[in-house]
Amino acid sequence: MTSSFEKIEHIGIAVSDIASAEITYSKMLGVEPYKREKIFSQGVITSFFKVGDNKIELLQAISPDSAIAKHILKRGEGIHHIAYLVSDIRKEMKRLSDAGYLLIDTEPMQGADNMLVAFIHPKSTGGSLVELCESVV
Ligand code: ZN
């Protein structure tokens, strides 16, 4: 079995107030966010922090029908998804779909931080929302 999974790209954290969460994370990590970005297709504002080789992505909903707003209503703030860097997202989507994983997206979408992204439903991963990311820089 061949896989193009390379590493954990980031951990996504759902927050209800990104400005206040940025202050909390800046104080905790001792660094400022390096990027804040609106992703209209996903209805979110994102803010990224570097932690060594790793990244934390804060996500705030910009509309009440966004997945982040629904997540916070259901489960409150906190860890929302684990994102993996893959070298070939279409290949991984096909491989995982063929293996019975439930993909939320049928095509990769433009995500935050110069990535093509696609999500795998938590139902098929043991309860955690999984994001696949392929760098498009
Ligand atoms: Zn993410």
Side-chain angles (χ1 to χ4, degrees), residues 3-122:
S3 151
S4 71
F5 276 64
E6 296 183 351
K7 64 170 190 169
I8 291 175
E9 215 288 327
H10 62 267
I11 295 170
I13 297 173
V15 302
S16 50
D17 177 349
I18 203 150
S20 122
E22 280 174 335
I23 292 169
T24 302
Y25 273 79
S26 292
K27 276 195 212 160
M28 179 173 79
L29 300 172
V31 291
E32 300 291 317
Y34 68 91
K35 182 184 268 191
R36 194 201 259 200
E37 204 177 347
K38 263 189 190 154
I39 308 294
F40 288 101
S41 62
Q42 289 168 45
V44 295
I45 305 174
T46 65
S47 182
F48 280 89
F49 289 83
K50 283 208 169 90
V51 190
D53 288 340
N54 302 115
K55 295 177 195 167
I56 296 291
E57 174 187 35
L58 304 178
L59 302 119
Q60 181 203 301
I62 51 178
S63 70
D65 59 349
S66 95
I68 294 299
K70 289 175 189 158
H71 176 94
I72 289 177
L73 266 183
K74 254 200 207 162
R75 300 196 194 181
E77 295 180 288
I79 294 179
H80 178 257
H81 63 269
I82 309 287
Y84 295 88
L85 184 68
V86 300
S87 56
D88 185 340
I89 194 167
R90 286 185 170 82
K91 183 182 129 191
E92 288 305 332
M93 288 171 74
K94 165 125 183 41
R95 185 179 70 83
L96 293 169
S97 168
D98 288 351
Y101 291 86
L102 181 59
L103 300 188
I104 294 172
D105 308 297
T106 50
E107 277 295 309
M109 302 174 294
Q110 185 60 53
D113 210 18
N114 307 310
M115 296 284 180
L116 278 178
V117 304
F119 287 91
I120 306 171
H121 201 285

